[in-house]
Amino acid sequence: MAFKANVPRKHWHLLPTRAVNGRTVVLAAAVVLLFGAYVLLGSYTVTIPDFFTIVIAHLTGGERIPSASFIVMEHKLPRAVAGLFVGVAFGLAGGLFQTMLRNPLASPDVIGVSYGASAAAVTAIVVFGATGAAVSFAALGGAAVVAALIYAMSRGGSAGSPRGQAAGNRLILAGVGTAAALTAVVNFLLTRADIRTAADTLVWLNGSLNPATWERVGLLFAGLAVLLPAAAALAPALRILELGDDAASGLGVRVNAVRLGIVLVAVGLAASATAAAGPVSFVAFLAAPIGRRIVGSPSLPAAALTGAAIVLAADYFAANIAPIVLGGTVLPVGVVTGALGAPFLLWLLVTSKRKES
């Protein structure tokens, strides 16, 4: 394993191991069950044999089941796959930021990356009348620009100095300030939009899987195919960074280069997910802490799987249970995750205060 030869034996537990954590396997099984329930159940139920018949017929050009084939292949399945990918991307992005900065409050939607995507997307919708893929590309560009700005403002000091240690705090503060400014930009643009455009924009801002299509799923898959291996390659160095910048530098880790790489991968994940479904609130913030409690230790795979479970469960509730409870109202998935995230944030602050006292 890379770096292991340079790490004292007493710190080997901080490195990723090849053994599969049993709880992670259970978490993965839970995600598979949620995915199956999402596709098979709901307002239109599909039996398991019919599901495989529909998929095989679609792939081979065989005889299709009227209505059922369209509902499964053009609505349920792409929406479920999009929810799975979006949850993995947000969960892993949050896990990378929180582990690197050693701060449970650090996530793309807290430090401003998601707000950069939102501001760019709203500008594209309101000012230029953009729709579809154009909005997604605008969100990607906005997230990248804001992330570069925040990273530039947070830099200072050498890797092994106290100033280097403070870079994480500066990044969070720079992100919070930038997010506040971008929120003002979004609110201003909404006041200038007509009612219909403002309504469509608000749905996007809340985060929604309603516009999920195979085209968007394909673009998101392409992004994950590049970013997931990059995250796996950075994982050993990231675990060594948990020892602190001084120790990591002494063990041969190029702290600034690794930190920049982690930021680029995490921003890419968050931007890809935001471009596909909008800024789904609090998924990146919730996934890593919940995954850590499930598996018993910090884990990037657990964060990714937990993010997928949160998005699939929340969207199933928003699309199938909320209309029954709320008299037909279908909620965007971001409304449900936001309702979960707010009390979790308060609980996290309270428990952190108790540990410090």
Side-chain angles (χ1 to χ4, degrees):
M1 179 181 297
F3 303 110
K4 190 168 184 177
N6 299 323
V7 181
R9 182 178 293 272
K10 66 179 180 178
H11 293 312
W12 281 11
H13 69 284
L14 290 173
L15 295 174
T17 63
R18 294 181 182 272
V20 178
N21 188 301
R23 294 184 180 180
T24 304
V25 173
V26 172
L27 186 57
V31 172
V32 172
L33 290 175
L34 282 171
F35 184 90
Y38 191 105
V39 175
L40 299 177
L41 305 178
S43 56
Y44 187 94
T45 59
V46 181
T47 64
I48 295 177
D50 283 347
F51 171 75
F52 284 107
T53 299
I54 290 169
V55 173
I56 293 172
H58 184 84
L59 295 176
T60 60
E63 184 178 356
R64 302 188 180 187
I65 302 174
S67 300
S69 295
F70 176 82
I71 292 173
V72 171
M73 297 306 303
E74 302 301 329
H75 176 66
K76 282 197 165 195
L77 197 54
R79 184 164 176 157
V81 175
L84 176 68
F85 289 169
V86 166
V88 166
F90 274 130
L92 187 54
L96 287 170
F97 272 121
Q98 291 169 357
T99 304
M100 179 188 72
L101 300 176
R102 298 191 290 278
N103 189 325
L105 299 180
S107 68
D109 44 0
V110 173
I111 66 174
V113 174
S114 295
Y115 288 95
S118 298
V122 172
T123 301
I125 294 172
V126 174
V127 178
F128 300 103
T131 58
V135 177
S136 299
F137 285 117
L140 282 170
V145 170
V146 170
L149 177 63
I150 293 170
Y151 185 79
M153 289 190 294
S154 69
R155 293 195 63 184
S158 60
S161 68
R163 292 179 63 192
Q165 289 277 5
N169 291 332
R170 286 198 301 273
L171 191 146
I172 294 174
L173 291 174
V176 170
T178 303
L182 292 173
T183 300
V185 171
V186 170
N187 290 335
F188 170 77
L189 290 172
L190 287 177
T191 62
R192 305 286 295 178
D194 60 77
I195 295 177
R196 183 171 181 176
T197 302
D200 293 340
T201 304
L202 284 174
V203 172
W204 192 91
L205 285 173
N206 282 318
S208 175
L209 295 176
N210 289 340
T213 62
W214 287 118
E215 179 184 5
R216 292 197 179 195
V217 169
L219 292 173
L220 185 53
F221 175 79
L224 290 178
V226 175
L227 295 169
L228 290 182
L234 290 167
L238 176 62
R239 297 303 300 273
I240 296 177
L241 280 181
E242 293 185 65
L243 300 171
D245 288 359
D246 291 334
S249 181
L251 293 169
V253 176
R254 299 172 59 189
V255 174
N256 286 337
V258 170
R259 199 185 297 276
L260 176 60
I262 292 169
V263 169
L264 291 176
V265 172
V267 168
L269 288 166
S272 299
T274 303
V280 184
S281 302
F282 284 117
V283 176
F285 170 71
L286 291 169
I290 294 176
R292 182 170 61 248
R293 289 184 176 272
I294 291 174
V295 303
S297 64
S299 170
L300 294 180
L305 291 170
T306 303
I310 290 172
V311 173
L312 288 172
D315 194 58
Y316 183 85
F317 177 89
N320 297 287
I321 299 176
I324 299 174
V325 177
L326 302 177
T329 302
V330 178
L331 297 176
V333 62
V335 173
V336 179
T337 57
L340 293 173
F344 185 84
L345 174 60
L346 295 176
W347 175 82
L348 186 63
L349 292 172
V350 170
T351 55
S352 299
K353 185 176 181 180
R354 287 177 181 173
K355 290 179 181 179
E356 293 174 358
S357 59

